[in-house]
Amino acid sequence: MNARKSTAPQPQGAGRQRGLIVLLGVMAALGPMTVDMYLPALPEITREFATTEATIQITLTGSLLGMGVGSLLFGPISDARGRRVPLIIGLTIHVIFSVASAFAGNVAALIVFRTLQGVGSAAAPSIAMAIVRDISHGRAASVRYSLIMMVSMSAPIVAPLIGSLILLGTDWHGIFIAQGAMSALLVVLGLLFLPETRSERMPLRESRVFAGAASLFSDRMFVGAALSQLAMMAASFCYISGLSFVAQDWYGVSPQVYGAILAVGAVVMLMMNPLSPLLLRRFMPHKVQIIGLVGALASSAMIMVSAGWLGLPGVTAFAWLCIGFQQLVIPNNQAMGLFNHAPRAGMAAALIGTAGTIGAALSAPLLGLAGTDNGFNMGFGMFAFYATSLAASVFVIGFKNDDLTTRPVRIVR
């Protein structure tokens, strides 16, 4: 397979490239911060609005669906008009509806505002992926996606802790005020330091958009990567949305202890993240992805086994392993999905991001309907989705598409 090289302006020097990757990682962290900061407050919001667990999960689903819509909006626009301006606009939308969420008077309003907040947050991760594809491809792109994830994975460490600490001094409204302040800071950083990496322009016409989507869906590697990402993120949000109720309602821990549990899980993710670049020195991205999926599948099976045996310590320990193994899957899905599509990297990134948010949005309410238990339901959901992700990788991508490039790639860290 031959990939077209980008003619976009490149950040000059290894130092500037590293600085750009760090900035993109911080911006990509907006999605996890949007979700994870308010997770410790879910039971409190449920009680304040006198609603059900399944209903309050819709505030999470709405945010995820908004991210999917936002990805489809900002991705093609960034292909047509450049990366920088759409990213700043998305961040600004996030500021506005973070503040609106803080003043929501009922659960319906919160669902609407969270959905629009999700639309704004989608610009950062999808355009960040496209920027990486503008300046690199193949193994180099896969490594850079891993480095962005390493930076952005600080969000799941600090977000639940920040949310739980805010709850010590105020209520859930303060969490959304903090999110608005955070995205406002990112607007300033983007205006000051984000370069434009997309020098080419193309007309933003409906026919061209559909034609571009058709070309993407004719590529088996893209389709397989998108399906794998959809199921992977569904499994991830079984953990994210389910553990709040498992830990706090079933096992009775405080929001602060729950925040610490999520933080330790994020540390495991951070520790596993460097493993992908190391494995990429020997294996192609598809093989590394398969290794991660097999590890996650085995760990999710152990969640079900340990739920009735070891209780919360066993459930959380094996859940941490699951999300740790995901760090071998997600960046390699992104690299495979975008490899053949440099001219439409924004759209390709948007569709892969949308696939992930669709999976996450579906899994959250389904798990809510299953009800809170000792963690078996969460483990079963994760196992089913990891198996689906593995099937997409093996049967759709296939091993004939294993090599992303036959040329050596110099990776600038």
Side-chain angles (χ1 to χ4, degrees):
M1 286 177 281
N2 294 322
R4 292 179 57 182
K5 293 185 179 181
S6 173
T7 59
Q10 307 293 302
Q12 297 299 312
R16 290 194 177 186
Q17 290 188 25
R18 284 193 294 269
L20 175 60
I21 295 302
V22 171
L23 177 58
L24 294 176
V26 171
M27 290 183 169
L30 184 63
M33 292 293 287
T34 298
V35 172
D36 292 355
M37 272 183 72
Y38 96 126
L39 290 178
L42 286 179
E44 177 188 329
I45 298 172
T46 303
R47 290 189 294 270
E48 179 169 327
F49 287 135
T51 188
T52 65
E53 176 183 325
T55 299
I56 212 65
Q57 292 274 28
I58 299 175
T59 65
L60 178 58
T61 301
S63 177
L64 295 169
L65 289 175
M67 290 179 186
V69 172
S71 293
L72 292 175
L73 174 68
F74 289 110
I77 289 176
S78 75
D79 284 337
R81 296 292 180 261
R83 312 297 186 200
R84 190 170 182 269
V85 172
L87 181 50
I88 298 300
I89 291 173
L91 293 172
T92 303
I93 292 172
H94 189 273
V95 174
I96 294 170
F97 288 102
S98 295
V99 176
S101 296
F103 294 98
N106 53 64
V107 70
L110 182 60
I111 290 170
V112 172
F113 295 148
R114 282 282 292 172
T115 301
L116 294 171
Q117 185 193 34
V119 171
S121 70
S126 60
I127 294 178
M129 287 172 60
I131 289 173
V132 170
R133 185 59 188 86
D134 288 340
I135 62 175
S136 56
H137 70 282
R139 283 175 166 172
S142 189
V143 169
R144 282 175 172 158
Y145 292 133
S146 295
L147 295 176
I148 285 176
M149 285 188 64
M150 185 179 296
V151 176
S152 65
M153 281 305 101
S154 62
I157 297 175
V158 301
L161 293 176
I162 292 172
S164 60
L165 289 174
I166 289 173
L167 292 177
L168 289 176
T170 180
D171 56 16
W172 62 269
H173 304 272
I175 293 176
F176 290 111
I177 294 294
Q179 289 182 348
M182 174 187 65
S183 48
L185 177 60
L186 290 178
V187 170
V188 175
L189 292 174
L191 290 172
L192 292 176
F193 301 114
L194 186 70
E196 178 57 70
T197 60
R198 174 75 175 172
S199 60
E200 299 176 1
R201 297 292 185 269
M202 63 175 64
L204 187 62
R205 297 195 300 267
E206 186 177 9
S207 60
R208 294 293 295 274
V209 170
F210 285 124
S215 70
L216 292 171
F217 286 114
S218 67
D219 176 11
R220 283 186 61 180
M221 189 159 65
F222 172 83
V223 172
L227 291 174
S228 176
Q229 196 83 328
L230 185 153
M232 170 60 56
M233 295 309 296
S236 180
F237 272 81
C238 283
Y239 164 79
I240 290 172
S241 64
L243 191 60
S244 177
F245 292 99
V246 170
Q248 296 183 79
D249 287 354
W250 185 271
Y251 291 104
V253 305
S254 68
Q256 289 70 42
V257 172
Y258 167 69
I261 290 172
L262 281 187
V264 173
V267 171
V268 173
M269 293 164 64
L270 221 95
M271 293 172 63
M272 288 286 286
N273 186 275
L275 184 59
S276 181
L278 288 175
L279 290 174
L280 285 166
R281 296 177 182 177
R282 182 174 180 182
F283 303 111
M284 290 298 175
H286 190 208
K287 286 190 175 71
V288 178
Q289 179 224 36
I290 293 290
I291 293 170
L293 283 168
V294 171
L297 191 66
S299 299
S300 62
M302 291 305 301
I303 293 176
M304 293 184 284
V305 172
S306 63
W309 175 37
L310 299 175
L312 184 61
V315 168
T316 54
F318 286 111
W320 292 336
L321 282 177
C322 285
I323 60 173
F325 278 113
Q326 288 179 188
Q327 307 315 297
L328 304 183
V329 181
I330 295 173
N332 293 299
N333 275 339
Q334 293 166 342
M336 289 186 291
L338 272 66
F339 179 74
N340 289 320
H341 306 286
R344 295 188 180 275
M347 180 180 292
L351 288 173
I352 290 179
T354 299
T357 55
I358 288 172
L362 290 174
S363 70
L366 286 176
L367 196 62
L369 290 173
T372 300
D373 68 348
N374 60 2
F376 180 90
N377 289 343
M378 182 183 75
F380 178 78
M382 294 172 76
F383 181 88
F385 286 122
Y386 287 138
T388 303
S389 183
L390 182 60
S393 178
V394 171
F395 296 112
V396 180
I397 296 177
F399 289 97
K400 290 183 180 179
N401 282 330
D402 195 38
D403 291 344
L404 287 185
T405 178
T406 58
R407 301 182 302 276
V409 176
R410 186 174 72 88
I411 298 172
V412 179
R413 295 179 180 275

